[in-house]
Amino acid sequence: MLGAAVLFLISLALARPLSIDFTGRLNFDPAPVTAFSHKLIYTPEPHDGPMSINVEFKVDCAHGREFVNRMKEVRLIHLRNGAYSWRLQEELTRPNTFCLEMVVPSWNEHLLQNERLTKAEKELLERAWSLHMGSKQPEERIYLSVNKELFMPRQCEFQPSTKA
């Protein structure tokens, strides 16, 4: 038993450098919340959703591989902060054009994503967005799912006249 205890202590000492606990090196300081304004037709209710957020990027072909590698990290940020679906698609009709699509459960969840960002995550997002060509920021579009309304009985607002 004493030999097993000694071997156990030795194995603990040897396993320390192999630890997968990397969180000690991460910076969890919250990023400053920036002004959040979209030109929306109307502001959704907090529980409305799911919401699909699409961001379109135009990337120089020389930086295409770097862009895709950075987007791998962006994917993890968005999934960790509340998105349940995330895709990066390359448009086939326009060269070097990519569309990021993420889906969050509700409008409130989309707003909370920005508050959950750490400084390190915000810097990573800015580095990925910096690969976008053009003087303006990548174009962002926000969609509200209407699937649940497809299955609800609709009330007709116009009743045809029964008089002949």
Side-chain angles (χ1 to χ4, degrees):
M1 291 292 266
L2 184 63
V6 170
L7 285 175
F8 176 70
L9 291 175
I10 292 172
S11 69
L12 283 178
L14 293 175
R16 182 75 180 145
L18 302 175
S19 173
I20 61 171
D21 183 17
F22 58 89
T23 58
R25 297 187 309 263
L26 296 177
N27 181 359
F28 291 112
D29 294 336
V33 178
T34 57
F36 185 76
S37 64
H38 291 285
K39 296 176 184 171
L40 301 176
I41 296 171
Y42 74 95
T43 303
E45 293 296 320
H47 63 277
D48 283 351
M51 307 296 294
S52 174
I53 296 87
N54 294 355
V55 184
E56 187 174 288
F57 297 91
K58 182 87 170 158
V59 180
D60 183 3
C61 63
H63 298 290
R65 181 58 38 208
E66 180 185 0
F67 176 75
V68 170
N69 287 335
R70 286 190 182 177
M71 294 310 276
K72 289 177 185 177
E73 296 172 357
V74 168
R75 176 183 178 271
L76 295 176
I77 290 170
H78 287 149
L79 292 174
R80 183 172 43 248
N81 288 331
Y84 65 82
S85 175
W86 193 98
R87 290 184 182 94
L88 181 65
Q89 301 163 103
E90 185 172 9
E91 189 168 336
L92 298 177
T93 59
R94 294 185 295 164
N96 306 320
T97 303
F98 294 87
C99 180
L100 178 159
E101 178 192 25
M102 72 173 149
V103 181
V104 293
S106 67
W107 175 247
N108 193 48
E109 193 68 32
H110 175 57
L111 296 176
L112 287 172
Q113 273 192 319
N114 294 324
E115 293 182 23
R116 290 182 184 126
L117 286 177
T118 64
K119 287 180 183 177
E121 290 173 337
K122 189 158 180 94
E123 289 170 5
L124 199 144
L125 290 174
E126 288 170 356
R127 284 196 306 269
W129 266 235
S130 72
L131 293 173
H132 172 71
M133 294 187 322
S135 57
K136 294 192 284 186
Q137 287 289 328
E139 187 174 347
E140 181 176 280
R141 294 185 187 99
I142 300 174
Y143 299 95
L144 172 63
S145 176
V146 294
N147 282 344
K148 61 185 172 192
E149 294 177 15
L150 294 175
F151 301 107
M152 294 174 61
R154 295 192 55 99
Q155 298 293 324
C156 185
E157 293 179 19
F158 173 74
Q159 295 293 328
S161 175
T162 57
K163 297 178 185 175

